[in-house]
Amino acid sequence: MSTSPDLVPAHALDAADPLAAHRDRFVGAEQPLVYLDGNSLGRPLRVTGERLRSFVDEEWGGRLIRGWGDVGEGGWMDLPLTLGDRIARTCLGAAPGQVVVGDSTTVNLYKLLHAAAALRPGRTEVVLSADDFPTDRYVAESVARERGLHLVWIEPAEPTTGVTDDEVAAVVGEQTAVVLLSHVAYRSAAIAPLAAVAEVAHEVGALVLADLSHSVGVLPVQLDRTGVDLAVGCTYKFLNGGPGAPALAYVAARHHAGLAQPVTGWMGHADPFAMGPGYEPAPGVRRLVAGTPSVLSMQPVADMLDLLDEVGIEAVRAKSVALTTFAADAGRRLLPDARLGSPADPERRGGHVTLLHPRMREVVAGLWQREVLPDYRDPGGLRLGLSPLSTSFAEVEAGISAAAEVLAGLA
Amino acid sequence: MSTSPDLVPAHALDAADPLAAHRDRFVGAEQPLVYLDGNSLGRPLRVTGERLRSFVDEEWGGRLIRGWGDVGEGGWMDLPLTLGDRIARTCLGAAPGQVVVGDSTTVNLYKLLHAAAALRPGRTEVVLSADDFPTDRYVAESVARERGLHLVWIEPAEPTTGVTDDEVAAVVGEQTAVVLLSHVAYRSAAIAPLAAVAEVAHEVGALVLADLSHSVGVLPVQLDRTGVDLAVGCTYKFLNGGPGAPALAYVAARHHAGLAQPVTGWMGHADPFAMGPGYEPAPGVRRLVAGTPSVLSMQPVADMLDLLDEVGIEAVRAKSVALTTFAADAGRRLLPDARLGSPADPERRGGHVTLLHPRMREVVAGLWQREVLPDYRDPGGLRLGLSPLSTSFAEVEAGISAAAEVLAGLA
């Protein structure tokens, strides 16, 4: 009898998991609740509540206005860049000085799509996928309308494979300003071949803007090496920053000289406290900062980066692959009428797994009633977000077993 | 002997102050530090640290993804509007459904300047003051460049009086799309006559966009009654939301039907979780929401609203007037070489007082070394931000006495 992964029981996988002990560092790990939506909102670390309490009483309340400091003095003023550098090093494979933390993914997308168009003046097209997350599509439509650009949509032939470099090559040309694509697709978890897409885009002189929301913190991105020009990403999914934590924006150093974005707030000025007439952009990515940085909501992200530094993103990825493989196998075994809506090859798959069945909307509603929390995504997708450091194999098995029971019980 | 205010000692004013006891509700009130910059960053309330800790462990960690709910279900999804309604009722004199909390003041200004231009298509001018806060000027420049608008600058004749309705009347016309102005000037604290400005703007069909950053929480705004069309404001000054807390945006109900803004994120969609093709704006001000609301950093604002509801904004204003009057008198008495850089009439003055002297930059540097924290604003302004619920008269006296000592000690 073979020891194929779907026959190894969950408890044995948990017992052999070198990262298993970290699960207890998260709030709620001891509860019977099964949480399979860490890719929508990561659990808080147990240290985070106390960190915020002490931030309020000691840093905000104690330092008061002195907490800000001036640019380069190591205070809150520098947090958008210092936290950006930490994410760059720990998760993104990006050299320092290219990542800023602030605003939302939506606002950062807006800024960087404008920046891309400004870096490629005269070009008239934005390439994107019809499968992209709504905000990406909506913001691209808005920026295109404002700048008189034309949107060129890729309709992925097979959602589970995501956008391919061939599909991009088929539509880019000398009119393409920028190709916008998700690194990990929000429904299928398909990993886009960033380096190959960057190559075909660069061949025609176009830029690539990657949305890393579903990849940052769960797999090594190697952003500098891919040749991607611009990127945005989210910190409340696999970086456990809490509901609405500020997002990240990346601009490759080679584009800093020509970088321009329209939300020209005082905090992106070269000398914010001079308060002088006329906007003069700060050097590098600091010009992406617009209003006053959201210091309070950056605190929890630092806790998760501490843990990721301890564990290492490669080990996180190894556990993630094991979890998604186990989920796909358990789905085949326990939900034989469902279809895998994610790449079967774990190398092509991010940190979540989607199982498709026409009645999954009802299944998810039933699961929520049983304190089993996955997500639902049209059409018919049970989306299992498997946050590697806070999810056990037993939790995955319990969740998929419960889904099978709910499905069997539907009239 | 008369009992003119400058002869009543600070300790007597504190003893007679009906709001004095509230000062102990703030972190650090017991410390010798003199904090006179509450209009830049308000002190935290003592309850806020614990509120955040319990938010992390119980709401975020306990509710997890269920915390969001769907629109209208009373969860985090509704917070931008429910918190907006609370601010509207407690501080702004605005009916429900017109205020949203989210993003930064900068981003909200950007959205509302675009919205104003869209509400007045074909008009080519934006009127603003050269004395406006930098972000207001920089963002107006950017939006004007993007939309091909022309900026018409008001150079206030006398900074201490702020922008007058006569100055606005002199420059508005049938080409004016919008008049942008600060309700309370960030340097002088001069209160702009919003209702009178709205009247002269409306006479020529223009809109008024008010920046309430230095008025919200410290004086009753009566926004609906002023006729102002659009407004933005800050929650980390007199609303004590913490460094970088999300801002507010107001749009008068009469403009909701035609309201359009370019940062079209999924959270401003009529049905965000449908994730369908094409952006369809949500009804009313919810379409101003762009990315995922910053739930964590909205929590402290709710604590301050609880206190403001208990005290009432009229009582806060009465204390504010007493504090700024005392500061102006103490300045005259203790710093006879300085000049009042704020309106002498308390009815024309917001919650801070600026004292002008060519050497104030050095004075403020010396004060910071003595744990006396006012702010400095060019040219030569010692800016005393007197947060009514956390500042005592003794603190004001100690601060101005220390300033006199530092000034006397300069070579």
Side-chain angles (χ1 to χ4, degrees):
Chain A
M1 185 167 161
S2 92
T3 54
S4 78
D6 52 340
L7 296 179
V8 179
H11 66 82
L13 291 168
D14 281 323
D17 172 16
L19 306 187
H22 297 301
R23 189 162 176 274
D24 284 333
R25 297 206 194 179
F26 293 87
V27 173
E30 73 290 354
Q31 292 170 353
L33 179 138
V34 172
Y35 192 50
L36 302 171
D37 208 1
N39 65 330
S40 186
L41 176 68
R43 283 184 188 273
L45 280 158
R46 289 193 202 277
V47 294
T48 292
E50 180 52 27
R51 170 191 274 265
L52 284 168
R53 201 204 51 71
S54 84
F55 176 83
V56 169
D57 292 345
E58 287 154 38
E59 294 192 61
W60 168 12
R63 302 279 304 147
L64 292 162
I65 196 68
R66 297 170 296 189
W68 287 112
D70 209 337
V71 175
E73 291 181 354
W76 302 334
M77 280 297 284
D78 294 326
L79 256 188
L81 277 91
T82 53
L83 193 63
D85 280 349
R86 283 201 69 185
I87 298 173
R89 186 180 67 236
T90 304
C91 308
L92 299 183
Q98 302 179 103
V99 174
V100 69
V101 175
D103 292 321
S104 62
T105 306
T106 297
V107 171
N108 288 338
L109 263 167
Y110 182 84
K111 289 187 282 198
L112 291 191
L113 278 170
H114 272 288
L119 285 164
R120 291 294 178 268
R123 291 185 173 228
T124 56
E125 292 176 356
V126 175
V127 169
L128 73 169
S129 163
D131 264 359
D132 271 347
F133 188 74
T135 249
D136 303 61
R137 295 183 270 114
Y138 303 157
V139 170
E141 286 172 346
S142 178
V143 173
R145 197 164 39 238
E146 282 185 285
R147 300 190 76 111
L149 302 171
H150 177 63
L151 296 179
V152 177
W153 295 94
I154 295 173
E155 303 272 353
E158 168 57 62
T160 61
T161 59
V163 174
T164 67
D165 44 316
D166 287 344
E167 286 171 321
V168 173
V171 294
V172 292
E174 60 187 19
Q175 282 313 310
T176 311
V178 59
V179 177
L180 166 65
L181 86 169
S182 295
H183 186 199
V184 169
Y186 80 106
R187 290 191 291 199
S188 70
I191 297 177
L194 290 186
V197 168
E199 203 178 320
V200 301
H202 292 170
E203 263 171 32
V204 296
L207 301 173
V208 172
L209 197 177
D211 183 340
L212 311 174
S213 291
H214 281 276
S215 61
V216 58
V218 74
L219 53 84
V221 178
Q222 299 297 358
L223 204 47
D224 284 349
R225 205 183 293 165
T226 60
V228 159
D229 302 280
L230 311 157
V232 296
C234 173
T235 69
Y236 52 78
K237 299 179 183 296
F238 297 110
L239 291 179
N240 302 62
L248 64 90
Y250 162 92
V251 179
R254 64 188 174 278
H255 297 303
H256 288 189
L259 181 61
Q261 62 89 10
V263 193
T264 51
W266 73 306
M267 283 288 179
H269 192 283
D271 187 1
F273 295 113
M275 304 193 169
Y279 180 79
E280 250 185 78
V285 287
R286 198 163 70 73
R287 72 185 60 173
L288 295 177
V289 181
T292 304
S294 187
V295 173
L296 187 70
S297 51
M298 287 190 214
Q299 302 301 313
V301 177
D303 292 328
M304 189 61 181
L305 289 169
D306 289 344
L307 177 55
L308 287 170
D309 280 339
E310 192 185 322
V311 173
I313 194 75
E314 297 289 351
V316 168
R317 171 64 174 162
K319 167 99 184 259
S320 172
V321 166
L323 280 168
T324 58
T325 300
F326 179 78
D329 291 341
R332 198 158 43 232
R333 186 160 42 92
L334 301 169
L335 286 164
D337 294 341
R339 186 164 70 81
L340 183 62
S342 298
D345 176 1
E347 293 304 308
R348 302 287 325 277
R349 195 168 64 216
H352 58 278
V353 168
T354 293
L355 300 172
L356 303 169
H357 187 284
R359 303 196 71 175
M360 279 305 188
R361 185 189 285 276
E362 296 157 90
V363 169
V364 171
L367 288 172
W368 276 44
Q369 287 178 354
R370 294 174 175 224
E371 299 262 293
V372 174
L373 305 184
D375 218 331
Y376 173 79
R377 286 293 176 262
D378 264 331
L382 168 70
R383 193 180 73 170
L384 306 164
L386 309 175
S387 198
L389 293 168
S390 62
T391 308
S392 64
F393 293 91
E395 219 172 351
V396 177
E397 168 118 39
I400 297 177
S401 296
E405 281 174 34
V406 173
L407 182 59
L410 290 178
Chain B
M1 187 168 160
S2 92
T3 54
S4 80
D6 52 342
L7 296 180
V8 179
H11 66 83
L13 291 169
D14 281 322
D17 172 16
L19 306 188
H22 297 301
R23 189 162 176 274
D24 284 333
R25 297 207 193 179
F26 293 87
V27 173
E30 74 291 354
Q31 293 170 355
L33 180 136
V34 172
Y35 193 50
L36 302 171
D37 209 0
N39 64 331
S40 185
L41 177 68
R43 284 185 188 273
L45 281 158
R46 289 193 201 276
V47 294
T48 293
E50 179 53 26
R51 170 191 276 264
L52 283 168
R53 201 203 51 70
S54 83
F55 176 83
V56 169
D57 292 345
E58 286 154 40
E59 295 191 60
W60 169 11
R63 302 280 303 150
L64 293 160
I65 196 67
R66 296 170 295 188
W68 287 112
D70 209 337
V71 175
E73 291 181 353
W76 302 335
M77 280 296 285
D78 293 326
L79 256 186
L81 277 90
T82 53
L83 193 62
D85 280 349
R86 284 202 68 186
I87 298 173
R89 187 181 63 236
T90 304
C91 308
L92 299 183
Q98 302 179 105
V99 174
V100 69
V101 175
D103 291 322
S104 62
T105 306
T106 298
V107 170
N108 287 339
L109 263 167
Y110 182 84
K111 289 186 283 197
L112 291 192
L113 279 169
H114 272 289
L119 285 164
R120 290 295 178 268
R123 292 185 173 228
T124 56
E125 293 176 356
V126 175
V127 169
L128 73 170
S129 164
D131 265 358
D132 270 347
F133 187 75
T135 252
D136 302 61
R137 295 184 270 113
Y138 304 157
V139 169
E141 285 172 348
S142 179
V143 173
R145 198 163 40 240
E146 282 184 285
R147 300 190 76 112
L149 302 173
H150 178 63
L151 295 180
V152 178
W153 295 93
I154 294 173
E155 303 272 354
E158 170 54 64
T160 60
T161 59
V163 175
T164 67
D165 44 316
D166 287 343
E167 286 171 321
V168 173
V171 294
V172 293
E174 60 187 19
Q175 282 312 313
T176 312
V178 59
V179 177
L180 167 64
L181 86 168
S182 295
H183 186 198
V184 170
Y186 80 106
R187 291 192 289 200
S188 69
I191 298 177
L194 290 186
V197 168
E199 203 178 321
V200 301
H202 291 169
E203 263 170 32
V204 297
L207 301 172
V208 172
L209 197 176
D211 184 339
L212 311 174
S213 290
H214 281 276
S215 61
V216 58
V218 75
L219 54 83
V221 180
Q222 299 298 359
L223 204 46
D224 284 349
R225 206 184 292 166
T226 61
V228 159
D229 303 280
L230 311 157
V232 297
C234 172
T235 68
Y236 52 78
K237 298 179 185 296
F238 297 110
L239 291 179
N240 302 62
L248 65 89
Y250 162 92
V251 179
R254 63 188 175 279
H255 297 303
H256 288 189
L259 180 61
Q261 62 88 11
V263 193
T264 51
W266 72 307
M267 283 289 180
H269 192 283
D271 186 1
F273 295 115
M275 304 194 167
Y279 180 79
E280 249 184 79
V285 287
R286 197 162 71 71
R287 70 185 61 171
L288 296 176
V289 182
T292 304
S294 187
V295 174
L296 188 68
S297 52
M298 288 190 214
Q299 302 301 312
V301 177
D303 291 330
M304 189 60 180
L305 289 170
D306 289 344
L307 177 54
L308 287 170
D309 280 339
E310 192 184 323
V311 173
I313 193 74
E314 297 290 349
V316 167
R317 172 63 175 163
K319 167 101 183 256
S320 172
V321 166
L323 280 168
T324 58
T325 300
F326 180 78
D329 291 342
R332 197 159 42 232
R333 184 161 43 93
L334 301 169
L335 286 165
D337 294 342
R339 187 164 70 82
L340 183 63
S342 299
D345 176 1
E347 292 303 310
R348 301 288 324 276
R349 196 167 64 215
H352 59 278
V353 168
T354 294
L355 300 172
L356 302 169
H357 187 282
R359 304 195 71 176
M360 280 304 188
R361 185 189 285 278
E362 296 156 89
V363 169
V364 171
L367 288 172
W368 276 44
Q369 288 178 354
R370 296 174 174 223
E371 301 262 293
V372 174
L373 306 183
D375 218 331
Y376 173 78
R377 286 291 177 264
D378 265 331
L382 169 69
R383 194 181 70 170
L384 306 165
L386 310 175
S387 199
L389 294 169
S390 61
T391 308
S392 64
F393 292 91
E395 218 172 352
V396 177
E397 169 118 39
I400 297 176
S401 296
E405 281 174 34
V406 173
L407 182 60
L410 291 177

